[in-house]
């Protein structure tokens, strides 16, 4: 992808008179069909829909009081997690921020275990001790789940350092929001990752808002790829609303990390349909802006393309949606039925070697 | 037994552990080509190469995070902070990441990183380079904290810290780097969480650590001439605290003075004093005494600096007070 490409030039026309979402970028989608095959494409769609349905249900369960604390939904950003991870190998690592339910499931975590974690149950992927912002699954090589904005960026570089040191050939995908790029941790990590050629892809999920603050109000520059220029790091802007453009954009960066052990900085243009967290009514953006984005819902756009190209038909879409809804319903039931952590769990897992009394 | 410098004992510990385990590496500012700002890593770049002895930019938060991230996936990094004054910049990675990964992941992760470097008062270095910051780390569950006082302890404790599966904060008194002490040629380690009685005595216990061990021993020698027999307990590990060693000594002497180089408010010394006053109340014949730095930033003026720091005379005075001796 050319470095100076911007998403605004690529944005498809508004929805047609029939109300359907516009399709995907035709040439990229055609190439994807050839490269990936329909089965893989349907699997990618299914994954996006699973993230969507999972989050819709998580939002409802939050409102019902089943999920507490902070809860940041991924709705609207699905092509980022699915597009990036569709090009990964099992041995690759993912490190994410606190809007990470989507990345966790895309990396292969069991939705039951993720939902149970949100419900604070012992069957959760972090035994109920982590919560929405701290999902972990070492076996799946999913390393959080960070609540400190930008804190995961040096840590992810450290995972990449280890991968390179041990010659694992594993790539690290590090996700963070556009709010993170002003943190010192971001800049310190990018400098070292570039200097030391670490196999890490730094993914800005640029949804335009750092919580309630429009990037235009706080960033000295808006073409944030320029941040990477100062570290001599490869960079690109990616259309994170078109699954195939996202897939190819990420693939180039992942290949560079794997084959050349070099990092990439990505400015991925995306949008969240919900507020920053469940308590945010998102009054800092206009209804028109939100409506326009929802008219270009990336899942709907993929549907439009798949139906037009005959990758799938309406019936199959409907039955897939039902299947996914059942799957998410089952995750809720699993979480409901699971026990809370035993009180004895309160003081475990603080240290590996721990033979003294607390307090 | 041969005598070596404190800094060389640290070098031996790191080098031996790097020989022993290929996952151990050293990173930090000036550790490689410059041989360490305090010359703790002399020769290590030549011996182990740039892959394992790594000069970093001046970016404490960033390279602490890289070390911690590498530890999260099973490596055993030694992250050198030129001084712990600068490690304040890395506190987010230490407290929010290293200390919490295991708990937040429900026990899936561990973080076997060692963060080590110079701490405590320097000499005429002014306010930003003369701080005893161990309380910051001791405060935080998930961390372990070690502070050696002698070359022997430095070597044995650092080897233990490197092998430990949890994050260890290892603070070395800057003033002690050039001190000399007996260190055997043979392999040994010193266990985590075990204090050491540096001097036995019957009349009063001094509980202390790091550089203040030496001040306390000097004070004990002077007090012995005055007929007061002082026991000096070197905690060595501050978290976990060796409560049994404290109990044992205080039950014997019934009087105790806690000596620390840093500030007194919400400090390690205050927590030790709190423990003693609650756990050993019935064994005390006097209130728990405390000696500490004055509650001010360190002045540069070298006539004022010694007035801020604890010294032998303060300690002698505090022990006499605890013994009700004028």
């Amino acid at each position: 992808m050319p470095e100076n490409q911007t998403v605004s030039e690529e944005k498809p026309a508004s929805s047609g008179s029939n109300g359907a979402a516009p399709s995907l970028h035709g040439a990229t989608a055609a190439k994807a069909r050839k490269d990936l095959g329909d089965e893989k494409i349907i699997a990618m769609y299914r994954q996006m829909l699973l993230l969507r349905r999972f989050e819709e249900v998580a939002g409802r369960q939050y409102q019902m009081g089943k999920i507490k604390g902070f809860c940041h939904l991924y709705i609207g950003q699905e092509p980022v997690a699915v597009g990036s991870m569709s090009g990964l190998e099992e041995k690759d690592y993912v490190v994410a921020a606190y809007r990470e339910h989507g990345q966790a499931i895309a990396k292969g975590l069991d939705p039951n275990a993720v939902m149970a974690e949100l419900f604070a149950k012992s069957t959760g992927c972090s035994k109920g001790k982590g919560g929405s912002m701290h999902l972990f699954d070492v076996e799946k090589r999913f390393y959080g789940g960070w609540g400190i904005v930008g804190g995961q960026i040096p840590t992810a570089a450290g995972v990449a350092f280890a991968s390179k040191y041990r010659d694992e050939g594993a790539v690290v995908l590090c996700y963070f929001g556009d709010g993170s790029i002003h943190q010192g941790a971001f800049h310190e990590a990018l400098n070292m990752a570039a200097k030391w050629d670490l196999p890490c892809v730094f993914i800005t999920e640029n949804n335009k808002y750092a919580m309630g603050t429009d990037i235009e109000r706080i960033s000295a520059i808006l073409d944030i790829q320029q941040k990477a220029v100062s570290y001599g790091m490869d960079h690109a802007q990616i259309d994170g609303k078109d699954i195939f453009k996202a897939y190819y954009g990420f693939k180039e960066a992942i290949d560079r990390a794997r084959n050349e052990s070099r990092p990439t900085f990505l400015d991925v243009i995306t949008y969240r349909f919900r507020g920053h967290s469940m308590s945010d009514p998102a009054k800092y953006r206009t209804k028109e802006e939100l409506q326009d984005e929802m008219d270009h819902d990336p899942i709907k756009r993929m549907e439009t393309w798949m139906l037009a190209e005959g990758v799938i038909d309406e019936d199959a879409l409907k039955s897939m949606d039902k299947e996914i809804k059942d799957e998410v319903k089952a995750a809720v039931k699993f979480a409901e039925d699971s026990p809370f952590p035993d009180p004895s769990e309160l003081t475990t897992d603080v240290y590996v070697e721990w033979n003294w009394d607390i307090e | 037994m041969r005598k070596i410098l404190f800094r060389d004992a640290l070098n031996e510990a790191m080098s031996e552990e790097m020989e022993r385990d290929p996952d151990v590496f050293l990173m930090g500012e000036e550790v490689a080509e410059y041989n360490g700002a305090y010359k703790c890593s002399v020769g290590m770049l030549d011996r182990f190469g740039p892959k394992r002895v790594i000069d970093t930019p001046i970016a404490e938060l960033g390279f602490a995070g890289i070390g911690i991230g590498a530890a999260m996936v099973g490596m055993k990094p030694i992250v050198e902070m030129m001084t712990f004054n600068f490690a304040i910049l890395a506190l987010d990675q230490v407290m929010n990441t290293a200390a919490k990964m295991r708990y937040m992941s429900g026990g899936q992760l561990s973080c076997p990183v060692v963060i080590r470097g110079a701490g405590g008062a320097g000499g005429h270095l002014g306010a930003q380079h003369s701080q005893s910051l161990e309380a910051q780390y001791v405060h935080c569950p998930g961390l372990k904290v070690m502070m050696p006082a002698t070359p022997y302890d430095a070597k044995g404790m650092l080897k233990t810290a490197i092998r430990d599966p949890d994050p260890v904060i290892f603070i070395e008194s800057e003033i002690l780097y050039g001190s000399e002490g007996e260190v055997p040629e043979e392999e040994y380690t010193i266990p985590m969480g075990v204090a050491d009685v540096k001097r036995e005595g019957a009349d009063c216990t001094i509980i202390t650590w790091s550089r203040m061990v030496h001040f306390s021993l000097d004070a004990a020698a002077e007090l012995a001439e005055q007929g007061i027999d002082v026991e000096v307990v070197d905690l060595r590990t501050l978290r976990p605290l060796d409560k049994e060693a404290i109990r044992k000594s205080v039950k014997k002497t019934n009087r105790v003075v806690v000596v620390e180089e840093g500030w007194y408010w919400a400090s390690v010394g205050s927590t030790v004093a709190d423990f003693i006053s609650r756990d050993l109340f019935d064994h005390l014949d006097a209130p728990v005494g405390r000696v500490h730095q004055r509650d001010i930033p360190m002045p540069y003026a070298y006539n004022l600096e010694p007035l801020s720091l604890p010294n032998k005379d303060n300690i002698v005075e505090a022990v006499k007070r605890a013994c009700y001796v004028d």
Side-chain angles (χ1 to χ4, degrees), chain B residues 136-201:
Chain B
Q136 317 259 345
Y137 304 100
V138 171
H139 187 59
C140 182
L143 302 177
K144 295 172 178 175
V145 182
M146 299 179 110
M147 291 185 71
T150 66
Y152 177 84
D153 286 347
K155 182 174 178 184
M157 287 164 65
L158 185 53
K159 285 170 72 82
T160 294
I162 294 167
R163 292 180 199 183
D164 195 274
D166 294 307
V168 180
I169 307 299
F170 196 93
I171 305 177
E172 302 141 9
S173 163
E174 184 177 331
I175 301 282
L176 293 180
Y177 279 132
S179 65
E180 205 177 39
E182 290 186 342
V183 175
E185 305 267 1
E186 314 76 71
E187 163 98 32
Y188 69 97
T189 57
I190 291 169
M192 177 72 63
V194 177
D196 182 43
V197 177
K198 287 285 192 287
R199 176 196 166 102
E200 292 202 15

Side-chain angles (χ1 to χ4, degrees), chain A residues 3-121:
Chain A
E3 282 171 8
N4 61 356
Q5 183 177 334
T6 62
V7 166
S8 53
E9 292 163 14
E10 291 292 319
K11 195 163 182 175
S14 290
S15 49
S17 54
N18 62 358
S23 186
L24 300 173
H25 185 259
T28 315
K31 176 172 162 48
R33 196 171 185 193
K34 214 169 103 190
D35 290 349
L36 301 172
D38 287 1
E39 197 180 322
K40 168 88 174 172
I41 284 171
I42 292 169
M44 287 165 76
Y45 171 82
R46 191 187 193 287
Q47 188 79 281
M48 289 210 293
L49 195 59
L50 172 61
L51 306 195
R52 175 69 56 93
R53 298 290 179 240
F54 183 95
E55 293 291 67
E56 288 168 348
V57 169
R60 282 200 291 277
Q61 294 297 322
Y62 188 93
Q63 284 158 341
M64 290 161 65
K66 297 289 182 183
I67 300 169
K68 299 184 192 294
F70 289 135
C71 183
H72 310 86
L73 301 181
Y74 201 61
I75 295 173
Q77 303 187 193
E78 296 89 350
V80 186
V82 175
S84 54
M85 283 187 236
S86 296
L88 281 192
E89 297 178 14
E90 270 185 21
K91 66 181 176 185
D92 295 331
Y93 299 92
V94 167
V95 181
Y98 46 77
R99 193 181 307 286
E100 91 285 28
H101 309 166
Q103 284 110 358
I105 293 170
K107 189 67 174 79
L109 272 72
D110 181 355
N112 286 3
V114 177
M115 191 66 83
E117 187 63 32
L118 306 187
F119 275 59
K121 296 301 181 74

Side-chain angles (χ1 to χ4, degrees), chain B residues 63-83:
Chain B
F63 69 74
I66 287 178
I68 288 162
M72 231 168 58
V73 290
M75 299 208 59
K76 308 275 287 176
I78 305 167
V79 177
E80 180 173 308
M81 291 290 164
M82 191 182 288
T83 85

Side-chain angles (χ1 to χ4, degrees), chain B residues 26-309:
Chain B
L26 172 66
M27 72 191 312
E29 296 152 2
E30 309 287 7
V31 298
E33 296 201 8
Y34 195 82
N35 284 310
Y38 292 96
K39 303 296 170 213
C40 292
S41 51
V42 171
M44 289 177 66
L45 173 63
D46 291 342
R47 186 164 168 192
F48 297 103
K51 183 183 172 185
R52 301 182 69 195
V53 181
I54 303 149
D55 278 328
T56 66
I58 300 171
E60 286 82 5
L61 175 65
F63 69 74
I66 287 178
I68 288 162
M72 231 168 58
V73 290
M75 299 208 59
K76 308 275 287 176
I78 305 167
V79 177
E80 180 173 308
M81 291 290 164
M82 191 182 288
T83 85
F84 269 87
N85 303 287
F86 317 150
I88 294 171
L89 288 156
L91 268 181
D92 170 56
Q93 286 295 330
V94 174
M95 294 182 80
N96 277 320
T97 303
K100 293 180 173 54
M101 280 302 109
R102 186 161 186 80
Y103 198 80
M104 295 197 310
S105 68
Q108 293 178 76
L109 289 176
S110 60
C111 206
V113 66
V114 174
I115 296 177
R116 55 153 287 272
H124 328 311
L125 298 180
Q128 291 182 335
H129 281 70
S130 302
Q131 303 181 85
S132 299
L133 297 169
E134 53 267 35
Q136 317 259 345
Y137 304 100
V138 171
H139 187 59
C140 182
L143 302 177
K144 295 172 178 175
V145 182
M146 299 179 110
M147 291 185 71
T150 66
Y152 177 84
D153 286 347
K155 182 174 178 184
M157 287 164 65
L158 185 53
K159 285 170 72 82
T160 294
I162 294 167
R163 292 180 199 183
D164 195 274
D166 294 307
V168 180
I169 307 299
F170 196 93
I171 305 177
E172 302 141 9
S173 163
E174 184 177 331
I175 301 282
L176 293 180
Y177 279 132
S179 65
E180 205 177 39
E182 290 186 342
V183 175
E185 305 267 1
E186 314 76 71
E187 163 98 32
Y188 69 97
T189 57
I190 291 169
M192 177 72 63
V194 177
D196 182 43
V197 177
K198 287 285 192 287
R199 176 196 166 102
E200 292 202 15
D203 297 333
C204 182
T205 298
I206 292 176
I207 294 173
T208 188
W209 58 95
S210 188
R211 183 186 174 205
M212 289 300 115
V213 169
H214 303 284
F215 283 44
S216 300
L217 289 170
D218 289 348
E222 183 173 317
L223 286 159
E225 289 170 14
Q226 299 176 35
I228 300 174
D229 188 17
V230 174
E231 178 147 303
V232 177
V233 176
D234 174 5
L235 290 176
R236 298 198 292 195
T237 303
L238 302 182
R239 184 183 185 91
L241 184 65
D242 188 350
K243 293 176 182 170
E244 270 318 304
I246 295 172
R247 286 188 184 110
K248 194 175 162 201
S249 184
V250 173
K251 282 178 183 173
K252 178 168 74 168
T253 63
N254 310 115
R255 296 168 197 278
V256 60
V257 173
V258 183
V259 179
E260 66 189 316
E261 190 172 356
W263 299 308
Y264 84 117
W265 191 246
S267 71
V268 178
S270 63
T271 298
V272 170
D274 165 75
F275 165 71
I276 293 167
S277 58
R278 290 188 295 127
D279 192 86
L280 295 160
F281 183 77
D282 291 340
H283 298 276
L284 289 175
D285 287 343
V288 178
R290 293 190 55 194
V291 179
H292 47 78
Q293 194 200 335
R294 300 293 299 277
D295 199 24
I296 48 172
M298 188 69 80
Y300 160 67
Y302 35 87
N303 66 319
L304 297 181
E305 187 180 34
L307 301 179
S308 173
L309 285 167

